[in-house]
Amino acid sequence: MARFSRVYARRRLSILAAFTGLIASVALFNGPNASAALPTPVSAATARTYLASLTVATEVRTGYERDLFPTWITISGTCNTREYILKRDGTNVVTDSACVSTSGSWYSPYDGATWTAASDVDIDHLVPLAEAWDSGARNWTTAQRQAFANDVTRPQLLAVTDNVNQSKGDQDPATWMPSLTSYRCTYVRAWVQVKYYYNLSVDTAEKTALTNYLASC
């Protein structure tokens, strides 16, 4: 009986140690040094509900200029919006006293590429600034456009491969989607959430594309 108790006690210690190790691993991945990512967008079901409520209207590009959307602003300490997102989305990011990233790595969910130089990474406006202008932001104040262009709370800003961001330009999901198909559901859920939050319209082709993509989420 005593031998059984000793064996049982050793097993309990072994299980406790394994469990403690598991907790430590979880803390490692969820702690402050773990890389963050795009704020989790709403569910597909919620996105479908949001999409159904959006106004369908023809886009109006007249008068658009990028400077009407001031970027980048100070977000925290010495970090502006770009630097803040680089730190949020990167892994093992090291910055200098001016918050400039001097090392780290960045995974681009649009194309699956990983980069070790911040210069290879752009901060994408998931709903492009010109697209926002076309669908309602032309009626906003400059302060409202600045808030949109630097929104780190909604799933609107994301670190991605620079030339992929440039190829996307101001296109909506009717004409451009991430080449990494596993990310498309996240992308359209985020797109709809941002448009809904900012009360932006969608055009007919855009709504059809979003509807089709959300149907398979």
Side-chain angles (χ1 to χ4, degrees), residues 41-73:
V42 297
S43 68
T46 299
R48 285 190 285 269
T49 299
Y50 284 178
L51 180 59
S53 72
L54 294 181
T55 299
V56 178
T58 302
E59 295 182 350
V60 179
R61 178 62 57 91
T62 305
Y64 170 73
E65 293 180 21
R66 186 181 176 87
D67 289 347
L68 295 170
F69 293 80
T71 56
W72 301 111
I73 63 172

Side-chain angles (χ1 to χ4, degrees), residues 36-176:
L38 186 77
T40 303
V42 297
S43 68
T46 299
R48 285 190 285 269
T49 299
Y50 284 178
L51 180 59
S53 72
L54 294 181
T55 299
V56 178
T58 302
E59 295 182 350
V60 179
R61 178 62 57 91
T62 305
Y64 170 73
E65 293 180 21
R66 186 181 176 87
D67 289 347
L68 295 170
F69 293 80
T71 56
W72 301 111
I73 63 172
T74 299
I75 297 296
S76 176
T78 60
C79 300
N80 67 23
T81 314
R82 172 180 165 82
E83 294 153 351
Y84 178 92
I85 298 298
L86 285 173
K87 289 179 68 176
R88 186 199 72 181
D89 290 2
T91 300
N92 298 323
V93 177
V94 175
T95 59
D96 62 20
S97 59
C99 201
V100 174
S101 298
T102 57
S103 64
S105 64
W106 292 268
Y107 172 78
S108 169
Y110 286 179
D111 58 337
T114 298
W115 304 96
T116 56
S119 58
D120 289 322
V121 178
D122 276 357
I123 306 305
D124 179 45
H125 289 95
L126 195 137
V127 174
L129 303 182
E131 168 68 25
W133 177 272
D134 296 350
S135 51
R138 61 189 176 277
N139 300 316
W140 296 350
T141 65
T142 299
Q144 288 173 315
R145 287 191 288 268
Q146 176 176 286
F148 176 83
N150 298 276
D151 187 350
V152 298
T153 302
R154 260 64 53 183
Q156 163 65 350
L157 296 172
L158 183 64
V160 300
T161 302
D162 55 0
N163 60 3
V164 171
N165 180 49
Q166 291 152 23
S167 70
K168 171 187 171 181
D170 59 8
Q171 298 179 81
D172 68 32
T175 55
W176 189 93

